[in-house]
Amino acid sequence: MKEKTNIRELFASAAERDTFLKICAPMVRYSKLEFRSLVRTYGTDLAFTSMIMADSFCKSEKARLNEFTTNKDDTPLIAQFAANNTIDFLSASEMVYPYVDGVDLNCGCPQRWAMAEGYGSALLKTPELIADMLGTVRRNMPSSFSVSVKVRLLSSTNQTRTIDMCRQLEATGITFLTVHGRTAPEMTKVPVHRDALQEIKQSIHIPMVANGDIFTLDDAERMYAETKCDGKYPSKPHRAPQRER
């Protein structure tokens, strides 16, 4: 089993230095081992795998070999999964546990294929299911192992529902959460609602990562100045993976 990095301590260290984590986002067909190794040489603090379909990962060795490879230097690393039920998310998390420092549940993908199959942003309609998936994995993993989630805004104007959801997810014991600063229907059609990200950040006690409209380090610095979020990862057009059947 690969030596672990404690993600909670990583965020705490950044906070002590009054700065934020520079995170390489989960990008379809980009976030493979070779790409992660490259971005680490440019000061990346934390890297994600690309989004992996949890059901295929559990059922198919071919899918596992295609979607996930690592080495001893590939840390800190979080594996992001798309799952629409607790069994798949827990099983995938248990399988990948020896090789990563945490797992993340994608509840932010707004693409039609994901929504149609109950993945990504479709899960935002059932926060109790998200909480069950996160809570189950949290209870079955060591406390030092990171469990996190990515969500979107539930409204572009009133953040009460989004804050309530984030607090519900925080209560499951997750290490941190990522918020994309748009609603699912908005996709990339409007600028990120930075005021909403700031309001959510002030309403929770765990680290929060901001996502959306971050293309350069200057963008990340500006986001930190405006929201005081604990981490930033860049934006890139998101393409659907080829599913294993």
Side-chain angles (χ1 to χ4, degrees), residues 56-128:
S56 299
F57 191 82
C58 294
K59 297 173 184 176
S60 168
E61 181 180 7
K62 178 182 177 182
R64 291 193 291 275
L65 293 174
N66 182 60
E67 294 295 332
F68 181 77
T69 55
T70 187
N71 61 30
K72 64 180 180 63
D73 299 316
D74 189 26
T75 185
L77 177 63
I78 291 178
Q80 186 185 77
F81 288 106
N84 58 13
N85 65 82
T86 300
I87 293 175
D88 283 347
F89 187 43
L90 176 59
S91 298
S93 299
E94 290 175 336
M95 293 181 74
V96 81
Y97 168 75
Y99 312 104
V100 300
D101 305 296
V103 292
D104 186 79
L105 179 64
N106 187 313
C107 300
C109 180
Q111 293 194 85
R112 291 179 182 176
W113 73 268
M115 302 282 281
E117 297 189 35
Y119 295 105
S121 294
L123 289 164
L124 297 177
K125 299 176 182 178
T126 54
E128 64 281 359

Side-chain angles (χ1 to χ4, degrees), residues 13-234:
S13 176
E16 288 175 359
R17 292 179 281 112
D18 194 24
T19 187
F20 58 91
L21 293 187
K22 301 173 184 68
I23 303 171
C24 186
M27 295 181 287
V28 174
R29 301 190 183 95
Y30 281 84
S31 301
K32 304 291 187 178
L33 172 61
E34 295 80 5
F35 183 74
R36 298 194 301 266
S37 298
L38 175 65
V39 298
R40 291 187 195 281
T41 67
Y42 287 88
T44 294
D45 297 312
L46 173 63
F48 279 68
T49 68
S50 56
M51 186 180 72
I52 301 169
M53 303 305 300
D55 58 349
S56 299
F57 191 82
C58 294
K59 297 173 184 176
S60 168
E61 181 180 7
K62 178 182 177 182
R64 291 193 291 275
L65 293 174
N66 182 60
E67 294 295 332
F68 181 77
T69 55
T70 187
N71 61 30
K72 64 180 180 63
D73 299 316
D74 189 26
T75 185
L77 177 63
I78 291 178
Q80 186 185 77
F81 288 106
N84 58 13
N85 65 82
T86 300
I87 293 175
D88 283 347
F89 187 43
L90 176 59
S91 298
S93 299
E94 290 175 336
M95 293 181 74
V96 81
Y97 168 75
Y99 312 104
V100 300
D101 305 296
V103 292
D104 186 79
L105 179 64
N106 187 313
C107 300
C109 180
Q111 293 194 85
R112 291 179 182 176
W113 73 268
M115 302 282 281
E117 297 189 35
Y119 295 105
S121 294
L123 289 164
L124 297 177
K125 299 176 182 178
T126 54
E128 64 281 359
L129 174 58
I130 303 175
D132 181 64
M133 286 194 278
L134 295 172
T136 298
V137 173
R138 176 71 287 162
R139 289 191 299 272
N140 284 275
M141 293 292 175
S143 60
S144 58
F145 186 74
S146 179
V147 179
S148 58
V149 61
K150 178 183 178 181
V151 299
R152 280 179 172 257
L153 302 181
L154 300 181
S155 168
S156 59
T157 56
N158 186 330
Q159 299 314 313
T160 300
R161 288 175 56 230
T162 306
I163 289 170
D164 287 346
M165 176 184 67
C166 290
R167 286 173 171 168
Q168 180 181 3
L169 304 183
E170 178 182 28
T172 67
I174 56 175
T175 308
F176 70 96
L177 64 82
T178 298
V179 181
H180 184 98
R182 300 181 179 93
T183 65
E186 286 175 333
M187 299 185 74
T188 58
K189 299 172 185 175
V190 300
V192 159
H193 303 285
R194 297 182 181 225
D195 55 338
L197 292 174
Q198 181 185 39
E199 185 178 356
I200 297 166
K201 164 60 184 172
Q202 293 174 346
S203 302
I204 59 176
H205 298 95
I206 57 174
M208 176 179 146
V209 175
N211 176 232
D213 286 353
I214 301 174
F215 301 98
T216 68
L217 188 56
D218 286 342
D219 292 337
E221 295 281 2
R222 192 174 306 113
M223 180 70 82
Y224 177 68
E226 294 179 10
T227 68
K228 289 300 179 181
C229 291
D230 303 276
K232 314 288 176 296
Y233 64 56

